[in-house]
Amino acid sequence: TRFKGRSTLRLVQSISTLPSAFPTTMNTCGRICVHKSGRFVIVSNRGHQSITVYRVKQKGPKKGELLTVGHYHTRGETPRHFQFDHSGQYLLVANQDTDSITIFNFNLSSGELKYSGNEYRVPSPNFVCCCPSYQDDDSDEIEEEQAAPVFSSNVSACSDNSESEESTMHVREGDKNQLTLQEQLAQARLEIEELKRLLAAKV
């Protein structure tokens, strides 16, 4: 009830996402976001097929207003969505009508975009999500677990006795795990056969 009857928003600025010569009736915006640094605003244009980057004024009486950095072609059509990676240095753009995702380098200082040379074919992409493959705290442990069998098997052929014994131990542990999986698979097959037999008996 504190703000009832009065506006809590005030228009500060209105700025075009397009070059002045391009007809506004031939374009719709796809997405807008603020860079994690808080220093840039990014918009996609479906029609002009571009990403527009703005710099946010950090000081002075016009603090918070936007200055256009540039318009950058997405190398595809209908950039419906885009996303920064977790470092904020790469921009991934989903070009829905040309079935592609293009990667751009983002200059953290100037806000300029530069095509990285990387493009991927994806059927009608309309959303991009950057997900870490594992927790940072667990990265060392995961890498060690994944590398251990290969590393230890290589060491056994070229290291001293103590390292050979350690590598053999890793291999045996791997064999044991594989055996356990095989036993579980065999048990599952037996249960399936039993279920089939019971169903056949009911029929």
Side-chain angles (χ1 to χ4, degrees):
T1 59
R2 178 180 171 186
F3 298 105
K4 186 176 181 179
R6 48 186 187 141
S7 174
T8 59
L9 297 176
R10 179 174 61 88
L11 179 63
V12 174
Q13 180 189 22
S14 180
I15 187 170
S16 176
T17 67
L18 299 169
S20 58
F22 194 86
T24 58
T25 55
M26 296 177 63
N27 185 77
T28 57
C29 293
R31 183 179 189 236
I32 182 170
C33 80
V34 179
H35 187 266
K36 63 187 296 185
S37 67
R39 298 174 55 215
F40 302 99
V41 173
I42 298 89
V43 181
S44 65
N45 293 301
R46 298 173 295 178
H48 189 248
Q49 323 302 7
S50 65
I51 296 290
T52 300
V53 181
Y54 305 98
R55 177 190 292 276
V56 181
K57 294 181 181 178
Q58 302 292 319
K59 298 179 181 179
K62 294 186 177 182
K63 179 180 179 181
E65 292 190 8
L66 305 178
L67 287 173
T68 303
V69 174
H71 310 281
Y72 305 91
H73 195 273
T74 62
R75 306 182 74 88
E77 295 181 6
T78 316
R80 180 166 295 278
H81 197 265
F82 59 85
Q83 186 71 269
F84 283 99
D85 77 319
H86 292 284
S87 72
Q89 299 182 68
Y90 298 96
L91 184 70
L92 294 79
V93 181
N95 296 306
Q96 186 175 31
D97 288 345
T98 45
D99 303 327
S100 66
I101 291 179
T102 49
I103 316 299
F104 294 84
N105 295 310
F106 183 77
N107 189 309
L108 296 175
S109 177
S110 66
E112 295 179 344
L113 287 175
K114 183 178 180 181
Y115 179 53
S116 68
N118 295 312
E119 181 175 339
Y120 302 92
R121 308 305 298 173
V122 178
S124 189
N126 56 51
F127 187 82
V128 180
C129 180
C130 297
C131 303
S133 57
Y134 53 80
Q135 297 294 330
D136 291 339
D137 294 341
D138 299 333
S139 61
D140 293 338
E141 181 179 347
I142 291 174
E143 289 177 1
E144 182 178 342
E145 289 177 358
Q146 292 177 343
V150 176
F151 177 73
S152 59
S153 62
N154 290 337
V155 169
S156 64
C158 60
S159 62
D160 61 21
N161 292 336
S162 60
E163 290 178 337
S164 270
E165 290 174 2
E166 182 180 355
S167 65
T168 303
M169 180 182 67
H170 284 300
V171 172
R172 286 175 179 171
E173 288 177 354
D175 290 343
K176 182 178 179 181
N177 292 334
Q178 185 176 3
L179 183 61
T180 301
L181 289 173
Q182 290 175 347
E183 291 174 347
Q184 292 176 351
L185 182 59
Q187 181 63 31
R189 287 173 175 167
L190 289 174
E191 291 176 359
I192 291 172
E193 291 300 324
E194 180 63 18
L195 286 172
K196 287 181 178 179
R197 188 184 65 79
L198 292 173
L199 289 172
K202 289 184 178 180
V203 174

